[in-house]
Every structure is written in C-alpha cells, then in structure tokens.
Amino acid sequence: MSYTGPPLDPFDPFGAPRPRRSLLRRGLTVALAVLVPGALVGWLAYATFGPDGEGDGGGSAGAGTGTTTAPRWPNVGNGKSGLAAPSGSADTAPSGSASSGAGPLAGKVVVIDPGHNPTNVQHTAEINRQVDIGTHSKECDTTGTSTNSGYSEARFTLDVAHRLRTLLQQQGATVKLTQDADRPYGPCVDERARIGNAAHADAVVSIHADGSGAGNRGFHVILPGSVRAGAADTRAIVGPSKELGKLIATDFADSTGTSPSNYIGGGTGLVTREDLGGLNLSTVPKVFIECGNMRDSKDAALLTSGAWRQKAAQGISEGIVSFLRG
Ligand code: ZN
C-alpha cells in the first residue's frame, strides 16, 4: 500500500556508520507522537490483506507469510536436515550453556519464542486447526516464510534464539524456549503465550523475520495493543511491553546497523497489533520482533549471515537487559 505516514528514516538503510543511538532515540520519541497513526497504517495493511501468519507478512499483498497449504521452499521438511544453519560451523549458533546463576539477570526468567517450527510444513492439518485467541480464532501456527533461495524463517528464528539464549545466560538469566525443534509442529500460538505465562517470565520475545515484498526493508518490533476479549486481557502488559519493545528496537538498530522498517510503523520500528494470539493471551511483558524481510534480497543477505544473526541476538539481548535492569 502507499505510504501515508510521517517521513521515513532519513538515513540510507544499512548504510555507512552514523550516530544511530541518539538519533534513533529521538526518532523513538517522535514515534510516540505518531505511534497511533503509524499503528493505524499497519493495521490497515493487515486488514486490507487479510489474515496472515502470526506476526509476519506486513504491508505487501501476496507476499505475506502464513499460508500453510504448501511449503514455500525446497528441500526443507525432511526432519532434522532442515535445522542446520546454512553452511559451516562459523555460521552456526553456539550450543546453549547452562545459566550461571550469577550476573545482572540472576533470578530473572526470559522466555524466547522462536517463531514457527521447521517441521510445521509436514503437519499442515495440525497447524491449520483453529485456536481461540480471545478476540477471534486463527490458525494454530503457520509455516513461516523463507528467503528466495530457500533459507526458512523457522531455521532463522531457532538460530537467533540459540544465540540469544547464550547471551542471556551469560548475564545470569534463566532462559526457556517455547520450542527447540523438539516437537513435530507448533506449539500453537495460544500455547506459546501460555508457556511464557506459566514460566512467570519477566520478559518474552518472539523471534520472526517477515515475508513482505522486495524493496521493503528493515526491522520492526510488534507491541501488544490493549485487548480485553474472551481469555485475552492485555491491559496490564501494554505499558511494560511497550517499554521492552522500545529498548529492543533501539539496541537492535545499534547492534546490527539496520534501520527501522521502511514499509510499516511509519519509520519508528514499532507497530502495535491486536490480532496476534501470542500477544493477546500473554499476561507477562512480551513483544515480537521481525528482524528483516526475507523476501528482499538485501535484507536476505543479512538474515542468512551468521555474523549478522549474532549482532541481531546481541541487540535483542541488550534491550532485554536494559528492560530488566530498569
Ligand atoms: Zn514469523
């Protein structure tokens, strides 16, 4: 859809080094003033293009994710072979290490929610089952998107989750993943929320990458809107989740050198949604992050880089640390 919001980030996306922090903070301050229209733009995009995957597919008709009727990438879906990073040990996330029990996040619980599941594609009937997210019903889970060369979002989310887990454990946090390719599909989006709730998580972040049109670039963090319907009541988490999301957006931009989305969020890197079960049913502070657009070749070059994914995990970790340390 055509862009009707405030001016986009003036910087060349992914360009030369620049004083990102102060300028982005200023941008985020301005964002507060434009968040409502920005969110409206985002909502209109989703409303226009219909139901989509949990979190993904913003702003581009026909390029969204979440279609569960067929795999969108080749040679994935044969079990564990779909789980490895693209190539080489240097491109693979480190294996998880035990929490130290000491450090600035000692006693804190962080739940990481890697979006989708590498073998969802083999279980389309199960993941198409409708679940109640309070406001309405939607699919249990979706397959997620992929780059044009076949690197799947599910592999991306797990890799970033592993890197993020290691970083948070190094800070002393207790970390739990909602899935670690240790189940045939899902969990469903309602269960993903319940896992964070049951863990009494101090913060939850759901990791995704988007499936929008070519030319659409950059990251955005999705915040829970205020929802009270059925089993959903987000009123208590809207404020702290927004704070968590702002900190992650700032630190993600700093760490990766990437800019906020140029296609959703009005240049703020922040989008509020009320249609995501993973947010609607959460009772603890939670955000989603769409780390980039897998369907854009320039973003895909970043998303498929292990070095870049490490920077992404570092940025998310720093945002969580800032949030939890107050
Ligand atoms: Zn996703």
Side-chain angles (χ1 to χ4, degrees):
M1 64 185 295
S2 61
Y3 180 72
T4 57
L8 294 173
D9 188 289
F11 300 110
D12 177 30
F14 315 103
R18 57 184 190 259
R20 294 184 194 94
R21 179 176 290 274
S22 62
L23 287 162
L24 182 60
R25 287 198 190 286
R26 189 174 66 190
L28 290 174
T29 303
V30 174
L32 293 177
V34 301
L35 187 57
V36 170
L40 182 59
V41 169
W43 170 251
L44 288 173
Y46 287 101
T48 300
F49 301 128
D52 216 323
E54 185 87 355
D56 311 311
S60 179
T65 66
T67 299
T68 55
T69 53
R72 292 187 175 205
W73 56 89
N75 305 322
V76 173
N78 53 347
K80 294 292 183 182
S81 65
L83 305 181
S87 63
S89 59
D91 217 30
T92 305
S95 59
S97 58
S99 173
S100 67
L105 297 191
K108 300 293 187 182
V109 177
V110 178
V111 170
I112 303 172
D113 179 36
H116 316 284
N117 179 318
T119 49
N120 271 358
V121 68
Q122 298 174 329
H123 298 273
T124 54
E126 291 92 338
I127 65 173
N128 277 326
R129 178 172 67 85
Q130 296 287 300
V131 298
D132 184 352
I133 66 163
T135 50
H136 59 288
S137 293
K138 69 186 302 183
E139 297 91 345
C140 153
D141 204 8
T142 54
T143 57
T145 188
S146 72
T147 66
N148 291 334
S149 60
Y151 179 55
S152 75
E153 181 188 358
R155 289 166 63 189
F156 171 83
T157 65
L158 271 176
D159 184 83
V160 173
H162 292 158
R163 296 173 189 273
L164 177 58
R165 176 175 61 187
T166 298
L167 293 167
L168 291 169
Q169 287 176 334
Q170 288 170 350
Q171 298 291 315
T174 297
V175 182
K176 181 179 179 62
L177 269 59
T178 59
Q179 59 95 8
D180 197 5
D182 51 358
R183 50 184 297 156
Y185 66 90
C188 296
V189 295
D190 56 339
E191 185 181 351
R192 289 175 186 266
R194 286 197 295 269
I195 291 170
N197 299 344
H200 302 290
D202 296 289
V204 185
V205 60
S206 188
I207 310 293
H208 290 260
D210 213 350
S212 190
N216 289 342
R217 299 193 60 189
F219 73 89
H220 65 279
V221 175
I222 304 174
L223 314 173
S226 184
V227 171
R228 188 185 185 193
D233 186 352
T234 62
R235 292 173 296 174
I237 68 162
V238 165
S241 297
K242 180 183 289 186
E243 185 63 24
L244 171 65
K246 288 164 57 181
L247 291 166
I248 289 176
T250 299
D251 289 333
F252 188 89
D254 283 346
S255 180
T256 63
T258 54
S259 295
S261 169
N262 66 6
Y263 60 95
I264 190 169
T268 66
L270 301 172
V271 175
T272 301
R273 289 179 60 175
E274 300 175 354
D275 64 322
L276 301 179
L279 295 179
N280 285 2
L281 298 175
S282 183
T283 59
V284 293
K286 180 173 181 178
V287 299
F288 282 43
I289 182 165
E290 298 280 0
C291 295
N293 175 22
M294 301 198 95
R295 293 293 182 175
D296 177 84
S297 60
K298 291 179 180 175
D299 269 16
L302 301 175
L303 296 163
T304 55
S305 159
W308 190 88
R309 292 195 297 273
Q310 186 64 28
K311 294 178 183 177
Q314 185 72 41
I316 297 168
S317 174
E318 288 171 1
I320 292 172
V321 170
S322 296
F323 175 73
L324 294 180
R325 297 190 72 179

